Amino acid sequence: MEQIWKDMYDAAKAVFGARKISDYVTCGEVAAAVLSKSGKIYTGVCIDTCSTLGICAERNAIFNMITNGEQEIDKVLCISPNPSNGGPCGACRELMVQLMPESYKDIRIMIDYENERIMTLGELTPEWWIG
Ligand SMILES: [Zn+2]
């Protein structure tokens, strides 16, 4: 496995961990690491609320990247209680496509860290509804 995936895993692991913020908000059940084209790793955790105010870990990490002046994604990795991770949800996929409509298909996503299964966003989202 490329070292960068291990670095991303370690970065996500560092912020991973469920915690209760209030009677209405929990976070950290899922953590994500996004590698930008510049080579910097940005992390985010999921935030769950009793209504729809929360956010997925992936989008939180992407927003962290945008907040820090970057906008191009190279790789995405997620840690969840389920060891096989799984791919990002439809909303997270849609955000990545809209951020990079010309090149989103090249974004590499770790689907299963233990078995080193990597897919591109193009494989996960072959026919974009606008494109
Ligand atoms: Zn999502």
Side-chain angles (χ1 to χ4, degrees):
M1 184 183 300
E2 285 178 77
Q3 181 62 41
I4 191 62
W5 288 114
K6 295 176 182 172
D7 294 345
M8 291 172 68
Y9 184 88
D10 289 344
K13 193 82 177 172
V15 296
F16 177 74
R19 69 180 199 270
K20 181 179 176 180
I21 295 175
S22 76
D23 286 345
Y24 311 100
V25 181
T26 60
C27 70
E29 290 94 343
V30 179
V34 168
L35 180 73
S36 70
K37 287 285 186 188
S38 77
K40 193 168 175 195
I41 296 171
Y42 297 92
T43 57
V45 294
C46 68
I47 300 172
D48 294 299
T49 72
C50 70
S51 58
T52 58
L53 302 172
I55 192 77
C56 295
E58 295 96 323
R59 270 178 292 153
N60 200 358
I62 292 167
F63 293 155
N64 184 11
M65 176 191 74
I66 292 171
T67 300
N68 285 280
E70 295 204 62
Q71 56 207 33
E72 281 193 88
I73 302 161
D74 188 48
K75 294 178 173 59
V76 177
L77 173 146
C78 222
I79 296 177
S80 73
N82 177 355
S84 67
N85 311 90
C89 80
C92 290
R93 294 180 200 190
E94 179 68 18
L95 175 66
M96 289 190 272
V97 173
Q98 291 194 21
L99 283 173
M100 299 169 56
E102 308 303 325
S103 56
Y104 76 88
K105 289 185 176 179
D106 297 330
I107 295 173
R108 295 170 66 77
I109 298 171
M110 180 60 77
I111 300 294
D112 184 340
Y113 187 80
E114 287 184 7
N115 295 301
E116 203 177 334
R117 183 165 170 242
I118 299 163
M119 293 182 74
T120 66
L121 187 55
E123 290 170 326
L124 289 172
T125 312
E127 299 291 335
W128 187 39
W129 66 283
I130 293 179

